[in-house]
Amino acid sequence: MGYFLQQLINGLTLGMIYGLIALGYTMVYGIIGMINFAHGEIYMIGAFLAVIGFTVLGLLGISYVPVALLIVLFTAMLFTAVYGWTLERVAYRPLRSAPRLAPLISAIGASIFFQNYVQLAQGARVKPIAPVISGGYTVFEEGGFTVQLSYVQILIWLLTLALMVAFALLIQRTSLGRAQRACEQDRAMASLVGIDVNRTISLTFVIGATLAAVAGVMVTLYYGVVDFYIGFLAGIKAFTAAVLGGIGSLPGAMLGGLILGLVEAFWSAYFSVEYKDVAAFTILVLVLIFKPSGLLGRPEVEKV
Amino acid sequence: MSALLTVEHLSMRFGGLLAIDDLCFAADERRITAIIGPNGAGKTTVFNCLTGFYRPDVGRLTLHRPQGPLYLERLDGYRIAQAGVARTFQNIRLFPAMSVLENLIVAQHNVLMRASGYSVAGLFGAARFRRAEAEAIEFARSWLERVDLVERADSPAGSLPYGAQRRLEIARAMCTRPRLLCLDEPAAGLNPRESAELTALLRSVRDREGIGVLLIEHDMSVVMGISDHIIVLDYGKKIADGTPEQVRHDPNVIRAYLGEAEHEALPAEIAADLRRDDRPT
């Protein structure tokens, strides 16, 4: 029971991180119908920015955790926003009316570029940071097994939930959100009611990138290590989460992330840690075969 | 009565096909100008040039405004919309997953975007944005009343019956607060009663809002009934330009619709009806 509870906590935490990254995938897919395979690298850059940020703040002697955390979060979001914007500008916008394969290849190219760029700039070795937030609550104890809910996990939950609420409000209530939904449904028509489609698409990339940055910072806090390669796997898993939830559906991305996180946690706990990726990608295969529209996605309606 | 839009020497070529050939015309404020012509005459291409879908090969499209002329052929589509040219489509293009009301609010995007400080203030519910949004909703409601869709305000736009979708599309175009409204076959697929309502709506738009209306239409009863001015195209060339009365009796027009001499006695409306029967649908 205790073991189960602990895995549930771990799985939810992991799931929220996947969910945050998956939002970026699903948003971009919704608006331009393309999978941004370089999105995982944006997350990786966010994680690196966190390492750099905390290290620099440590050197400057700013060690009060809430302040340090806020500074790191904002700088990471700011920088990844620039990366996201540039990525769209350089790798996707010139190919917007090209055949679908072209932007896909361009996305994979951008992804490889970012990995190598970070590897060159930061070195290939794993970068550790000293734990910034340590400790936690003991939820309960049973026969010598303690179920821990760490402060980092609580932070991840709260931050993710807050971002989800803010994000839902942005999409539902603001005119930017409305413009995004309009572009999703009919891009040409959106421009005919005076919406700047290019800017809306740019902002979509920027928002997706900042969410990925938050996920990157959280992961750095959670695991304490990053390397230039983490974006690949996390990206593909978040993509799996987005597909599982129904690509294009925002609540679906979050739900898919949570399910994937839980499956991974329980699989590692009860079967084998080595094969947890197999579990994750088996889901991807099964969903694509049996329910390609995902859990919350709308099935593709044939246009007459 | 001043010209709102002048089109000068517009030409558009697709490969070997000259879709529009040196077209010149003007559309005035407070008047309904119709563009008619057989299929493939280039009517929709004119609209596509006006609204930024195509870049014309040659020609100048000028929108006259109090603050000075604006050359539409140089602008991006959304800038043209912001400058006050609104458009509807032959095959209706609403935002089907949005509610009816939301379709009208998204059309007021630019007003709201400015008021909301590009959504930052909107996210935090600033008073200025809430006021602007309340005004936008009010304006949208007034249009829902005019097109008789108040009860359907919260239904998804895609679920409306055909005729209602057409009216909503016009209301949405009007919510962008245009100076020139371009309608591409607004009466297509409407029954006679709906056509009559449409006619009344277009008249009220002309008289109450005082804007210019540019109309492509095949239904001759609609065209002859409401147009102040008609331009006839055939193979991309203007073959007639004048009042409905002048155009109806123009031998060039009759020939374009019916081919050579033998049918010359038929009036243009019957000609158009005949033409419509063999139109591919």
Side-chain angles (χ1 to χ4, degrees), chain A residues 30-77:
Chain A
I31 204 159
I32 55 175
M34 185 206 90
I35 302 293
N36 172 14
F37 273 114
H39 189 58
E41 313 316 324
I42 298 280
Y43 150 85
M44 178 268 292
I45 289 173
F48 263 92
L49 286 165
V51 172
I52 297 168
F54 282 120
T55 313
V56 169
L57 288 178
L59 289 175
L60 293 175
I62 302 171
S63 57
Y64 182 55
V65 171
V67 174
L69 188 63
L70 275 180
I71 295 177
V72 167
L73 268 178
F74 277 109
T75 25
M77 285 163 87

Side-chain angles (χ1 to χ4, degrees), chain A residues 176 178 181 185-186 194 196, chain B residues 93 95 102 110 119 133:
Chain A
L176 172 63
R178 225 176 266 127
R181 283 180 290 141
Q185 290 174 38
D186 190 336
D196 184 345
Chain B
R93 287 173 81 167
F95 300 118
E102 220 171 8
N110 288 296
S119 277
E133 194 162 65

